[in-house]
Every structure is written in C-alpha cells, then in structure tokens.
Amino acid sequence: MRRRTRLLKQSAIESLSLAIEVCNRPHQEARAQGVLLPLHHGLEMLLKAIIWQQRREIGKKGSDRSYSFDESIGIVQGMGLLDEDDARTLRILGARRDAVQHAGSSVSHEALAYDGMAALFLADKLISGAFGTRLADEEPFAARPLPLASQPPREYHVLISSEMDEIRRLLRPGNRRRAEAITRLRPLAVADVAAADGDESLGAKELEGLARRVARGEDWRQLFPALARLEVDRPAEQTYGFKIVRRGDAVPARIVGADDPDADEAVVVKEVDWTKRYPYGLGDLARKLGVNRFDAEALIHVLDLKADKGCFDTRTIGSATFKRYSHEAFKRMRAALKNGDFLSSARSELSDHRRRRRRPTRRG
C-alpha cells in the first residue's frame, strides 16, 4: 500500500520538476506544452497519492477508470487539505492545460511563470498537509530555482491587462493575426469559466464573440469578471510560489446574465439560458464531487437543496421533466464534504427517509 503511494508521489515530483525545468530554459520552443502538461500531470498524481493513502483506491469500485482531475480535487478538498481558493486555482490550471493540449492555444512566458509558481505553492501545501514534509525536502527541488519570468511577478490584474493589450493589438484591422489572437484569448476565457466554478465548454462561436468585444475595446473586467476578482497573496509561511485568492470586495457594477454564477447576488438578471443557470444533473454533481449518485442524493436531501430556487429547478418539455442544479448547489455540497462525518450521517438519514417512505401504512 505504501509503495503505491510512494510511486504516485514520485511521479508527481518528477513531472513538477520537468515543468519547472522547461519553464526556465532559455528558448521558447514548446514552452507552453512543456510546462502546462507535466504541471497538470504532477498535480493530478499528487492528488491521487493523497487519495490512495487515505482510501486505498484512486477510482470507483468496479470501474477501470481512475478519478478525473476535477473529481480528485473535490475528494482532497473534502479531506480538508485544499480550501476554496486552492481548488479554484487547480481548476484554472486544468482549464488552461486543456486549452493548450486540445486546442493548440498559446500562453505567454509570464503567464506560464504565474502558473508554475501557483502550482508549486499548492504542491508544497499538499505535501506538507498529507505527508508532513515539504517540497524542498524532495531531491529534485532541494536547489530548484523558481520559475523565471522576464520581469518580476506583477499583480494578477496587471498580468491579465498586459495579455489583453497584446490580444487587442493582434486584432487591429489590417494585422491579419486573428487566429493568433484567438489562441491567446482561449486560455483566459476558459480560466474565467473555471474561476467562476463553472465547467461549460467554449466553442468557436463564443470565442469569436469575445474577440469582437475585445476589438471594440471593452474592458476585460467586464469580459472576464471571475478573473477580475482574483489576486496574488504571498503567505508568510510560503516556501515556493504564491497563492491566488478571490478578493472579498465586489467587481464593478454590471448587468449579469442567468448563466453567470454570481447572478443570485445581482440586482438585474437577464434571462438567457436556463441550462446555464442550472448546469448540473445529479450525475454531473456526483462526478465533480468525486462521489457516487447515492452520496450526491444524500447531500441534496440533508442540505434541502430542492427547496431552494437558487439551487434547484425543474422544467418540463413535452413528456420529459428535467431536474437541474445550480453552481450554488455545487458549492454548498462541496463545502459540506469538508466535514468528514457529514457524508456518513447524510447517507444514514437518506436511507432512513427511504425506509419510512416504503413502510406500509396500517388500515384501521
């Protein structure tokens, strides 16, 4: 058992070391792929090493498929080793990796340095919390320099502003570099979705619409409101990198659509797409939380989410009824999983509830 944990952890350390080596090398060739792919793999293996140590499994019983990256995040967060900001940062890294691996997107060296520093902070935190050691204790990192950037790390909003200025320059009339601009725009767009705790995909049509708005000079904080709420925090106890956190203060006033995770807090809501307001079915919630459907039902039952319009809604189309859950429902369920005893008691309560419903009534 310990050997499996050790092998998973070793794989994680090797991948993280490779990512930082590529980030620090002097030439640009394949830098985005060479950093984000092993960075993502290293963090995923580290999460699975922790899950294996606790559960002696890294996948659902009876299935040949191991937990996905998102499922692993949810499970480790439920163990109390990740907070909301940590989980959000991991999802952003995952979304940016997907954009590079599957859509050929490009990422600036400075943005990659941010990704590397945020990843090292999380790796150090996870190793410390789960294994009682530090990343610097691992041989590849004993004298490993931090990811290098051409300039010292700037505030997060300054980094995004710089990225958007470059994209806007590529979109100027006559430049004929629209395709290049789209490859730079996609990682920001998917990161904004992940930062808002969403998981909807972005197609070519949505990206073209964003590109037109960028070319018109719209403020990036209106285009990417979730990214606008992020900032860099440098905890005093840090060994590597820095932490990306969500600011407590509100973003500038704006009108949001129903697909925006912050719509429940808005003054004005423009109804656009019910499926974006309530994007999750029961199975979707179970997969994202890393639990089975019964466990998801138990959480929903105990938290009484179906009684809250902000968490649950149904629509009937023809003879079919669709039951859907919102981003808020997902957040409440994920928060509940942080209490190790909550899921067990929720299972018992749902089982008792079902037995009471099946019990026949006596006729007088």
Side-chain angles (χ1 to χ4, degrees), residues 23-208:
C23 191
N24 286 339
R25 69 188 183 186
H27 61 84
Q28 298 280 347
E29 185 177 354
R31 177 169 279 160
Q33 304 95 310
V35 172
L36 287 175
L37 271 63
L39 203 64
H40 179 276
H41 179 264
L43 290 167
E44 183 171 357
M45 291 301 100
L46 186 54
L47 292 170
K48 287 180 177 176
I50 294 169
I51 295 170
W52 180 268
Q53 179 178 251
Q54 294 286 333
R55 295 187 172 190
R56 298 295 185 261
E57 64 177 12
I58 53 173
K60 295 177 181 178
K61 292 181 180 179
S63 173
D64 295 331
R65 185 183 69 84
S66 65
Y67 292 124
S68 69
F69 188 58
D70 282 347
E71 288 171 339
S72 299
I73 293 170
I75 293 169
V76 175
Q77 188 177 6
M79 296 176 184
L81 296 176
L82 293 170
D83 61 28
E84 289 283 346
D85 290 320
D86 299 329
R88 185 180 302 110
T89 300
L90 284 169
R91 289 193 295 272
I92 290 173
L93 286 168
R96 288 163 64 80
R97 188 291 306 253
D98 288 345
V100 168
Q101 182 174 4
H102 301 300
S105 297
S106 59
V107 181
S108 72
H109 179 52
E110 187 177 4
L112 286 173
Y114 265 76
D115 290 336
M117 290 181 179
L120 289 185
F121 175 88
L122 289 173
D124 188 38
K125 178 177 180 177
L126 287 168
I127 290 172
S128 175
F131 305 112
T133 58
R134 303 304 293 265
L135 185 59
D137 297 329
E138 303 293 334
E139 184 176 350
F141 283 89
R144 170 70 69 193
L146 290 175
L148 301 179
S150 57
Q151 301 174 358
R154 298 178 289 178
E155 292 301 324
Y156 201 74
H157 68 92
V158 177
L159 169 68
I160 304 299
S161 294
S162 175
E163 294 281 301
M164 294 302 294
D165 287 343
E166 176 61 17
I167 293 170
R168 194 170 289 111
R169 184 185 68 80
L170 294 172
L171 289 170
R172 285 176 186 166
N175 271 1
R176 298 183 179 180
R177 300 178 71 178
R178 191 175 190 84
E180 184 179 347
I182 294 293
T183 67
R184 297 284 294 266
L185 184 61
R186 184 187 292 271
L188 295 174
V190 297
D192 183 71
V193 172
D197 297 333
D199 61 355
E200 56 265 30
S201 60
L202 291 172
K205 184 177 179 180
E206 289 85 358
L207 285 169
E208 284 293 338

Side-chain angles (χ1 to χ4, degrees), residues 205-250:
K205 184 177 179 180
E206 289 85 358
L207 285 169
E208 284 293 338
L210 281 172
R212 287 192 294 271
R213 296 174 65 185
V214 172
R216 288 198 300 265
E218 286 193 39
D219 189 334
W220 71 267
R221 289 168 294 187
Q222 306 299 323
L223 299 174
F224 304 131
L227 289 184
R229 295 178 63 182
L230 301 183
E231 62 184 18
V232 169
D233 180 38
R234 295 175 173 83
E237 72 278 8
Q238 76 178 68
T239 301
Y240 285 103
F242 47 62
K243 183 180 178 72
I244 297 176
V245 300
R246 177 179 285 176
R247 286 200 306 265
D249 56 319

Side-chain angles (χ1 to χ4, degrees), residues 240-311:
Y240 285 103
F242 47 62
K243 183 180 178 72
I244 297 176
V245 300
R246 177 179 285 176
R247 286 200 306 265
D249 56 319
V251 296
R254 59 193 177 89
I255 297 177
V256 301
D259 57 331
D260 192 308
D262 294 325
D264 292 333
E265 302 172 8
V267 175
V268 180
V269 177
K270 178 183 178 182
E271 187 68 34
V272 177
D273 188 341
W274 179 77
T275 61
K276 288 185 177 181
R277 181 73 184 280
Y278 299 94
Y280 307 119
L282 180 63
D284 301 322
L285 288 173
R287 283 191 295 273
K288 281 183 69 67
L289 292 167
V291 300
N292 58 39
R293 290 174 67 95
F294 178 80
D295 289 348
E297 284 187 84
L299 290 170
I300 290 167
H301 173 71
V302 172
L303 295 172
D304 201 19
L305 298 182
K306 290 186 177 181
D308 189 337
K309 180 71 173 179
C311 294

